[in-house]
Amino acid sequence: MKSTLLIILLSQCYITSAAENSTAVLIKFLSTVNQNLAALYNREVLANWQLEIKGPNDLYALLQSELASEETMRYIQSLAPKSAKFKRLNIGNPELQRELAQIPETGYEALSPTDLKLMYIVTTNMGDIYKNTKLCSFYDRRQCNLTLIPAVQNILHNSVNVSEIEHYWLEWRRKTGMAAKEDFAVFVELYRKTSILNGFQKPSEFWFKDLEEDSSQATTLLEKSMQRLKPLFQQFHAHVRGQLRRLYGEDLIARGKPFPQNFAEIFIGNAFRRADPEWFIEFPYPDVSMPNITAGLLRRGLTNAQRVFWNVAEYFRSLGMPQIEDTFWSENARPKANLDEESIRCWHKAWKYYGIKRVNFSYCPLVDEERFFNMFEALTDVYYYRAYEHQPTLYAEEPFPNFSDAVGKMFSLAASSPRYLEKLKFVDTGMISKELRINRLYWQGLRSIFLLPVFYVLDRYRVDVLDGSLNISDNCAYWKLTSDLTGAEPPVSRSNEDFDAPAKLLVEVDDQYTSQIMSTVLQYQLYKHFCEITGQYKPSDPDYPLDLCDLSNQRQIGPLVMQAMSYGSSKSYKDILHIMTNESAINMDGLLAYFHPLYEWLVEQNRIDGVEIGWEPTTKCSSENKEK
Ligand SMILES: *[C@@H]1O[C@H](CO)[C@@H](O)[C@H](O)[C@H]1NC(C)=O
Ligand SMILES: *[C@@H]1O[C@H](CO)[C@@H](O)[C@H](O)[C@H]1NC(C)=O
Ligand SMILES: *[C@@H]1O[C@H](CO)[C@@H](O)[C@H](O)[C@H]1NC(C)=O
Ligand SMILES: *[C@@H]1O[C@H](CO)[C@@H](O)[C@H](O)[C@H]1NC(C)=O
Ligand SMILES: *[C@@H]1O[C@H](CO)[C@@H](O)[C@H](O)[C@H]1NC(C)=O
Ligand SMILES: *[C@@H]1O[C@H](CO)[C@@H](O)[C@H](O)[C@H]1NC(C)=O
Ligand SMILES: *[C@@H]1O[C@H](CO)[C@@H](O)[C@H](O)[C@H]1NC(C)=O
Ligand SMILES: CC(=O)N[C@H]1CO[C@H](CO)[C@@H](O)[C@@H]1O
């Protein structure tokens, strides 16, 4: 009896000390991982930085970048068995377990060499189809050498001829859809395998892994968001459809139906470019023009990127953020190379390093409105990287992809407030009117309200296909999803003989949009909160609407944001959100409050115009073979 007890005691003792020792082993493992990853990541960052400032012809940097990323992948693969073992044994306290969980997944590399090769082939194929497909010109059908990007894209930017736009819409799908269907099916199979090999129960769990939500939570969050967006979206949709009908007639834009998708693609696309969206739809008040920020910048003497940088740095200082040292620009900033080829891709960018206190900065020398607001985002990143630079490599990240975008875009949104622009003298005093505000909200709405359902469909379709609840041969199911949610339908009859879904997805098959939806919603949620606590937004005071909220000089914001950013990914996004806003869930309140004046305007205007709200399901896709 006694001896049995002794054995039990001894064995317990042995187990305890083994557990404690394994904690020490885990700590040591993590510390090595942090060090090694920092070295590997830094090599990659440095090479990419060289490419940014010297251009893609720097072959040495190109090679370094490739080698470094291969080596990183090999290293991550080598970690997999060990970290799986630590996870299985449930070693360490929750903090250590969280750090362990931040070790990157092997992803596709978990596939067998044959499958991995196949994955590479099908994804390359799909990308190539997109890149190499040549369409025939609308005006000269014998000229068949137009690439999608940039040739067709440029044509579409500038076209007002509906038949021309429809021609390319159809050709694009005809040439890319069926060509990619088989590859897409193989991709789906391999993705399912990958998710199992990475230890996930369902492909959708793997899909949503970076969001720290299980797939049903993520799905619910998204569905709820779309539901809350619906009243605003329907009013907006009704107004846009009414405008399209005025321009193109009742034949093309039928009453009570979704509008043809080729229109949507173009006016949404145009809203993102310098081009005016008026080409396809008018602003609510066409006579009230938007302030010319570029002219304002030049008038104020902000004639180069360096001056803009310091001007924006001063904005952040006025929020109580740490002052950027005088030497920052001369020591860390370099212009981006290769401007000439595509100025659209010219942006300011902060570059973080791991395990060393250093942030490099590449800038776009252009001075204009877009680059001005982009500076707020790039500087947010500088602050973000510095805020968490003390974190171990595994935590030196944002809590979910595009989280930092939400913070940066929140600041650029605040800076685009007419009240702040008035302070900067970019807008003349007295110019802020109801009409200006509605125009601005309408234009912003085209870039966000109209896009959220589109993003949602792109992810929802793929998740349903991956989980097997949607068959890729069911093209009409894709159109049902698209028309129900986005209010757009194909311009011509489609059937299950067609394959339309991947037209947009070919380039980055597994690029996901959910994090972008969350990021957009979060941007407005943060904005609303910061405006509320500083008294710049008062829900029931018409003098303090959210869309005019100016945060400059609100010194309590900076420390709050810096603190939240300092955690990197050591806490979940919900904890970090809670630190900033006292709320732990993402919600649509901010976005809806922001666009509330537009919503009211739309309801009234739609009533006056007598346009119908909502749409019937599309009848443009039928599972029967169509006669051709
Ligand atoms: C396409 O072909 C036309 C004539 O068929 C030619 O004028 C044009 O330069 C070609 N464009 C490109 C990008 O090759
Ligand atoms: C579009 O262009 C074609 C070919 O030039 C022409 O026949 C048609 O009338 C144009 N359509 C519109 C709406 O301008
Ligand atoms: C805004 O101002 C800039 C600089 O003066 C000018 O080049 C540009 O054409 C203006 N844009 C518009 C839309 O008026
Ligand atoms: C950017 O960072 C790297 C790595 O720390 C450094 O060697 C380089 O000098 C930096 N570039 C500039 C322009 O300071
Ligand atoms: C979201 O994050 C991904 C990866 O970090 C990035 O490639 C993408 O540009 C981001 N999207 C936006 C809208 O910022
Ligand atoms: C998908 O649909 C096709 C065509 O209707 C059918 O042959 C196939 O078996 C279906 N696949 C699944 C997984 O249901
Ligand atoms: C945070 O939220 C809780 C519960 O919703 C509330 O009781 C508390 O007063 C809030 N704190 C602040 C600082 O707003
Ligand atoms: C018994 C023993 O050596 N325990 C050690 C195991 O590891 C932890 C964590 O480092 C140490 O604190 C214990 O002393």
Side-chain angles (χ1 to χ4, degrees):
M1 182 65 204
K2 220 173 185 178
S3 67
T4 332
L5 189 65
L6 191 65
I7 290 170
I8 293 172
L9 277 175
L10 272 176
S11 65
Q12 268 180 352
C13 185
Y14 173 74
I15 289 166
T16 328
S17 90
E20 277 171 78
N21 277 342
S22 54
T23 301
V25 174
L26 175 58
I27 292 174
K28 190 145 175 278
F29 171 71
L30 289 173
S31 147
T32 313
V33 170
N34 279 315
Q35 266 181 31
N36 291 344
L37 277 180
L40 288 164
Y41 287 166
N42 282 345
R43 215 174 117 192
E44 213 172 330
V45 176
L46 184 59
N48 289 332
W49 159 259
Q50 294 292 327
L51 290 174
E52 182 86 352
I53 61 171
K54 291 187 179 156
N57 296 328
D58 186 333
L59 294 181
Y60 179 72
L62 202 60
L63 187 67
Q64 284 297 315
S65 170
E66 277 170 16
L67 286 178
S69 83
E70 272 169 32
E71 208 176 310
T72 305
M73 189 31 84
R74 269 201 303 278
Y75 181 62
I76 288 170
Q77 264 175 292
S78 78
L79 294 175
K82 219 169 183 181
S83 58
K85 195 164 167 195
F86 281 122
K87 280 179 196 165
R88 209 166 45 239
L89 293 175
N90 216 7
I91 290 164
N93 59 24
E95 282 76 39
L96 289 174
Q97 286 176 6
R98 181 175 178 84
E99 197 171 337
L100 181 63
Q102 302 292 311
I103 293 178
E105 311 283 342
T106 338
Y108 299 139
E109 305 285 334
L111 291 167
S112 73
T114 323
D115 281 348
L116 185 61
K117 199 165 162 207
L118 189 57
M119 186 62 138
Y120 178 77
I121 292 170
V122 295
T123 48
T124 309
N125 263 356
M126 286 191 276
D128 283 351
I129 290 170
Y130 193 84
K131 264 186 252 136
N132 301 338
T133 293
K134 302 271 189 341
L135 303 187
C136 301
S137 159
F138 172 68
Y139 291 105
D140 179 2
R141 303 290 160 104
R142 284 161 309 163
Q143 189 202 321
C144 294
N145 59 0
L146 301 175
T147 54
L148 291 176
I149 296 174
V152 169
Q153 205 181 37
N154 285 338
I155 293 170
L156 293 180
H157 281 196
N158 298 311
S159 174
V160 287
N161 184 317
V162 179
S163 317
E164 182 178 23
I165 296 163
E166 188 183 308
H167 164 80
Y168 290 115
W169 186 96
L170 192 58
E171 283 297 296
W172 182 319
R173 274 156 190 78
R174 189 151 45 211
K175 292 261 173 71
T176 63
M178 287 319 285
K181 187 171 173 179
E182 249 170 66
D183 286 334
F184 190 66
V186 175
F187 166 79
V188 169
E189 278 315 310
L190 292 173
Y191 193 94
R192 288 176 181 156
K193 271 194 196 171
T194 306
S195 69
I196 293 167
L197 290 169
N198 280 275
F200 292 83
Q201 306 263 326
K202 283 199 296 187
S204 55
E205 302 288 351
F206 184 51
W207 184 268
F208 289 121
K209 66 186 185 315
D210 290 337
L211 300 177
E212 290 196 46
E213 302 269 3
D214 67 37
S215 68
S216 72
Q217 280 173 323
T219 312
T220 310
L221 176 68
L222 291 173
E223 272 171 9
K224 238 169 54 192
S225 303
M226 289 305 124
Q227 211 55 38
R228 291 205 61 201
L229 185 67
K230 201 168 169 185
L232 171 61
F233 181 73
Q234 287 202 335
Q235 292 291 337
F236 206 164
H237 177 276
H239 189 261
V240 166
R241 182 176 51 189
Q243 285 215 50
L244 291 173
R245 186 177 302 136
R246 259 208 332 257
L247 289 167
Y248 300 106
E250 184 122 14
D251 284 350
L252 277 176
I253 314 292
R255 289 189 73 83
K257 301 273 188 189
F259 51 66
Q261 193 190 46
N262 46 325
F263 289 95
E265 282 187 358
I266 295 175
F267 69 71
I268 293 176
N270 275 345
F272 275 90
R273 290 169 203 121
R274 305 236 19 96
D276 320 50
E278 293 104 307
W279 288 341
F280 283 85
I281 35 179
E282 278 189 333
F283 276 124
Y285 299 98
D287 300 335
V288 177
S289 57
M290 303 273 272
N292 187 333
I293 311 290
T294 308
L297 284 164
L298 301 179
R299 209 164 50 235
R300 285 284 314 278
L302 299 175
T303 48
N304 61 42
Q306 185 175 358
R307 289 188 179 161
V308 172
F309 176 90
W310 288 114
N311 189 277
V312 173
E314 180 53 28
Y315 175 87
F316 281 105
R317 205 192 53 77
S318 86
L319 299 178
M321 308 275 257
Q323 185 153 10
I324 304 262
E325 66 283 4
D326 291 344
T327 50
F328 182 87
W329 189 267
S330 61
E331 286 179 2
N332 304 297
R334 292 292 177 271
K336 180 178 163 45
N338 261 40
L339 292 180
D340 37 320
E341 62 168 39
E342 252 186 302
S343 63
I344 318 174
R345 293 226 206 94
C346 184
W347 302 109
H348 311 304
K349 181 170 159 57
W351 297 75
K352 67 169 166 183
Y353 289 91
Y354 295 80
I356 45 171
K357 295 188 189 322
R358 159 143 231 151
V359 176
N360 283 6
F361 193 85
S362 59
Y363 62 90
C364 173
L366 302 176
V367 174
D368 60 25
E369 174 174 346
E370 280 178 290
R371 257 44 71 170
F372 175 63
F373 290 120
N374 175 229
M375 192 63 92
F376 289 83
E377 294 166 28
L379 257 163
T380 303
D381 283 343
V382 172
Y383 281 111
Y384 211 140
Y385 299 159
R386 287 184 163 186
Y388 66 52
E389 67 189 2
H390 61 285
Q391 294 284 358
T393 308
L394 290 168
Y395 284 153
E397 301 291 345
E398 50 191 341
F400 70 73
N402 300 107
F403 184 93
S404 64
D405 291 330
V407 182
K409 292 217 166 88
M410 188 269 298
F411 282 122
S412 76
L413 184 67
S416 73
S417 153
R419 282 205 173 135
Y420 178 62
L421 296 176
E422 195 178 62
K423 212 180 260 174
L424 287 178
K425 303 201 163 51
F426 289 180
V427 174
D428 294 336
T429 319
M431 235 184 94
I432 302 176
S433 60
K434 171 88 193 295
E435 290 77 10
L436 178 78
R437 286 173 58 201
I438 295 297
N439 275 352
R440 176 171 172 259
L441 290 173
Y442 198 93
W443 179 70
Q444 289 176 328
L446 287 176
R447 303 165 68 136
S448 53
I449 298 167
F450 254 88
L451 222 49
L452 291 176
V454 173
F455 283 169
Y456 175 69
V457 168
L458 291 178
D459 269 17
R460 173 73 194 279
Y461 173 78
R462 284 177 297 177
V463 167
D464 285 356
V465 166
L466 292 170
D467 272 355
S469 57
L470 204 153
N471 186 331
I472 64 166
S473 296
D474 194 352
N475 194 42
C476 290
Y478 166 74
W479 280 115
K480 179 168 163 25
L481 205 54
T482 299
S483 63
D484 285 355
L485 283 148
T486 72
E489 65 178 8
V492 295
S493 295
R494 310 302 280 165
S495 78
N496 284 343
E497 305 276 283
D498 302 308
F499 185 54
D500 293 319
K504 269 186 179 310
L505 310 176
L506 288 168
V507 189
E508 294 290 343
V509 259
D510 57 352
D511 214 16
Q512 63 150 303
Y513 290 91
T514 302
S515 60
Q516 294 197 30
I517 297 176
M518 287 171 67
S519 170
T520 304
V521 174
L522 185 60
Q523 173 196 353
Y524 290 96
Q525 184 173 358
L526 294 175
Y527 188 47
K528 170 166 170 283
H529 176 74
F530 291 142
C531 290
E532 230 165 353
I533 59 172
T534 53
Q536 298 305 303
Y537 165 56
K538 300 177 186 164
S540 47
D541 184 344
D543 287 338
Y544 288 92
L546 189 51
D547 63 295
L548 292 185
C549 160
D550 166 21
L551 288 176
S552 61
N553 298 317
Q554 302 297 336
R555 303 194 64 85
Q556 76 209 79
I557 304 295
L560 193 54
V561 174
M562 285 302 283
Q563 193 211 348
M565 296 194 302
S566 73
Y567 292 106
S569 60
S570 67
K571 289 176 181 295
S572 79
Y573 84 84
K574 289 174 186 163
D575 292 339
I576 291 171
L577 184 59
H578 194 260
I579 291 163
M580 279 196 281
T581 67
N582 198 27
E583 290 174 317
S584 354
I586 286 188
N587 69 56
M588 296 284 285
D589 294 349
L591 188 142
L592 295 177
Y594 187 84
F595 286 104
H596 190 68
L598 177 66
Y599 176 71
E600 290 196 320
W601 182 86
L602 286 167
V603 169
E604 178 62 9
Q605 194 61 39
N606 285 338
R607 195 185 56 75
I608 293 169
D609 296 345
V611 296
E612 76 287 6
I613 315 290
W615 54 91
E616 296 160 18
T618 181
T619 50
K620 284 277 174 65
C621 193
S622 131
S623 48
E624 309 293 299
N625 291 2
K626 70 192 153 179
E627 51 309 353
K628 297 206 177 175

